[in-house]
Amino acid sequence: MSLQAPPRLLELAEQSLLRDGALAIPTLEELPRELFPSLFIEAFTRRCCEALKTMVQAWPFPCLPLGSLMKSRQLETFQAVLEGLDALLAQKVRPRRWKLQVLDLRDVDENFWGIWSGASAPSPEALSKRQTAENCPRLGGQQPLMVTLGLCFKNGMLDECLTRLLEWGKQRKGLLHVCCKELQIFGMPIHSIIEVLNMVELDCIQEVEVCCPWELSILIRFTPYLGQMRNLRKLVLFNIHVSACIPLDKKEQFVTQFTSQFLKLDYFQKLYIHSVSFLEGHLDQLLRCLQAPLETVVMTDCLLSESDLKHLSWCPSIRQLKELDLRGITLTHFSPEPLTVLLEQVEATLQTLDLEDCGITDSQLSVILPALSRCSQLSTLSFCGNLTSVAALENLLRHTIGLSKLSLELYPAPLESYDAQGALCWGRFAQLGAELMKTLRDLRQPKIIAFSTVRCPRCGIRASYDLEPSYCLC
């Protein structure tokens, strides 16, 4: 028979305080603030709603990180927290121990509650390091109570706690500031998304991800809200398509509406677009509207023209670029000059370069290599999926001698690894992989390196050679 450990003295004290189902403010004012977190967890777990209301009013820290406790959404306990805030906001004179500035509903800092409820307590200043109203770009001077949350739209409907919060916040304009820094859209009708965006402070949003297939016409309905996100740093767009029914002049009008929003984004730094076609031939419109230097340009599996790449290479906003990812953009028939100029523009800052599956030929590579060899900060280089000969790969490896910060290198299996029908010859691949690895080690000592084949048409996996070959199992 197993023996259960007796409750600690702290647990007994918490149970005693919560036994009657309610706590009085005077009692809490005498309670050491180090005991508040563990007592709050106990009240939240046991759904002691009256105790929660009182504890929220007497919370002795700048931030209450409620989000990490709400693994299972419990409307009853969440409503109790909101009622506690109501009582707090209704007081014209703040209580002596009123410290609360931020209710954080994001699912972060899971370790915080564990530390506070454990046997050893950290410094009482731990909570003070959490976000406060001073961190919000929207606020300054005398701040109202701030509610911080992340918005994630998926499964076609809003979380009931989020719905309740937004309704509650809408009725308390001026007393409350709803701050959302991250917006993710995985699937929900656009009218529902717009309804929620009308209830939050768009100035606070710093990151937006649209990860669901939208027609361009739907993106345009979202576009005016994008322009109001004046502190936006990062935008991710996945699978934005143009309907064949849209006339050319209407498409151009939509593109102008979208790109002109970037004129209002003074802090924009990171652009991620995947499987987006509407910017083909129009990338210059977006680039002209940029107001700040870009750190990241990721354009994967997109339709781009050679003129788009030229405009990118001469754009003043890319001269501090740290990451360039053009995976899946076919460059086979492009002049190598735009990519060469682009690498020359970013040689002092570029850290990550991904040219996977770009169809770059030997002749194009030979033109690009001198510029690549001067990218002194480069730490990650991916060149997989390009049909490159042994001679061209050896030339590429020689041009990396001066790139001392390279820590991850991914190269294609040489053309000579395949037979006339394009099938991989495993023995030949292993032999050439070993020879290329020796060539590189005679030049310098690589950290992580692999030579990889084109993707298997059945499983999508690449076979690779690092120290020895690894095979596709199909």
Side-chain angles (χ1 to χ4, degrees), residues 69-240:
L69 292 182
M70 296 176 64
K71 300 300 183 186
S72 59
R73 300 295 194 181
Q74 300 171 3
L75 189 58
E76 179 187 9
T77 49
F78 185 62
Q79 179 65 36
V81 171
L82 297 184
E83 290 176 10
L85 292 175
D86 267 338
L88 195 61
L89 295 170
Q91 300 181 46
K92 295 181 180 179
V93 179
R94 292 190 174 190
R96 177 171 59 89
R97 290 186 65 177
W98 182 355
K99 301 289 186 182
L100 187 60
Q101 299 177 36
V102 178
L103 174 65
D104 194 340
L105 297 178
R106 297 171 299 169
D107 185 11
V108 293
D109 279 8
E110 294 181 15
N111 292 333
F112 169 78
W113 293 103
I115 293 172
W116 276 98
S117 59
S120 60
S123 161
E125 312 310 320
L127 263 179
S128 301
K129 295 180 181 179
R130 294 274 310 194
Q131 177 178 350
T132 64
E134 295 175 1
N135 302 123
C136 179
R138 180 72 171 79
L139 296 178
Q142 182 66 33
Q143 296 100 358
L145 178 70
M146 183 165 74
V147 178
T148 304
L149 71 157
L151 282 176
C152 183
F153 298 116
K154 58 184 178 181
N155 302 327
M157 61 184 296
L158 283 179
D159 176 279
E160 62 179 0
C161 289
L162 177 59
T163 302
R164 179 69 190 101
L165 170 70
L166 294 171
E167 291 171 350
W168 178 79
K170 192 174 183 180
Q171 298 165 6
R172 288 154 184 82
K173 288 273 187 180
L175 297 175
L176 195 70
H177 174 71
V178 180
C179 177
C180 167
K181 291 198 172 184
E182 297 179 4
L183 170 62
Q184 296 176 308
I185 302 172
F186 291 99
M188 182 173 285
I190 186 65
H191 63 84
S192 299
I193 294 171
I194 289 174
E195 184 179 348
V196 174
L197 293 180
N198 285 326
M199 298 184 196
V200 301
E201 300 288 352
L202 297 176
D203 282 14
C204 297
I205 297 177
Q206 297 184 11
E207 297 187 6
V208 171
E209 295 184 28
V210 179
C211 300
C212 55
W214 272 1
E215 292 283 348
L216 179 58
S217 57
I218 297 177
L219 177 65
I220 293 308
R221 293 180 63 187
F222 176 76
T223 290
Y225 297 90
L226 187 68
Q228 295 177 55
M229 301 173 189
R230 297 182 184 276
N231 287 285
L232 189 69
R233 267 74 168 169
K234 174 182 175 181
L235 174 64
V236 180
L237 294 179
F238 269 71
N239 301 317
I240 308 297

Side-chain angles (χ1 to χ4, degrees), residues 28-79:
L28 291 174
E29 287 192 341
E30 299 303 321
L31 190 70
R33 69 175 186 160
E34 289 84 355
L35 300 183
F36 265 77
S38 57
L39 182 60
F40 188 91
I41 291 174
E42 187 72 16
F44 193 87
T45 303
R46 291 170 56 181
R47 303 190 184 187
C48 301
C49 293
E50 292 302 318
L52 286 172
K53 291 180 195 178
T54 308
M55 291 196 71
V56 168
Q57 295 173 62
W59 191 251
F61 303 102
C63 178
L64 173 55
L66 187 66
S68 53
L69 292 182
M70 296 176 64
K71 300 300 183 186
S72 59
R73 300 295 194 181
Q74 300 171 3
L75 189 58
E76 179 187 9
T77 49
F78 185 62
Q79 179 65 36

Side-chain angles (χ1 to χ4, degrees), residues 429 433-434 437 441 448-452 463-470:
F429 171 48
M437 198 70 76
R441 287 182 171 150
I448 301 175
I449 181 172
F451 295 88
S452 301
S464 63
Y465 184 97
D466 38 33
L467 294 178
E468 56 185 32
S470 62

Side-chain angles (χ1 to χ4, degrees), residues 232-264:
L232 189 69
R233 267 74 168 169
K234 174 182 175 181
L235 174 64
V236 180
L237 294 179
F238 269 71
N239 301 317
I240 308 297
H241 302 292
V242 182
S243 170
C245 302
I246 296 180
L248 181 59
D249 60 339
K250 192 67 174 178
K251 175 193 170 185
E252 292 179 353
Q253 178 187 336
F254 283 168
V255 170
T256 301
Q257 284 179 249
F258 172 75
T259 58
S260 63
Q261 303 306 312
F262 289 82
L263 289 167
K264 307 168 189 176

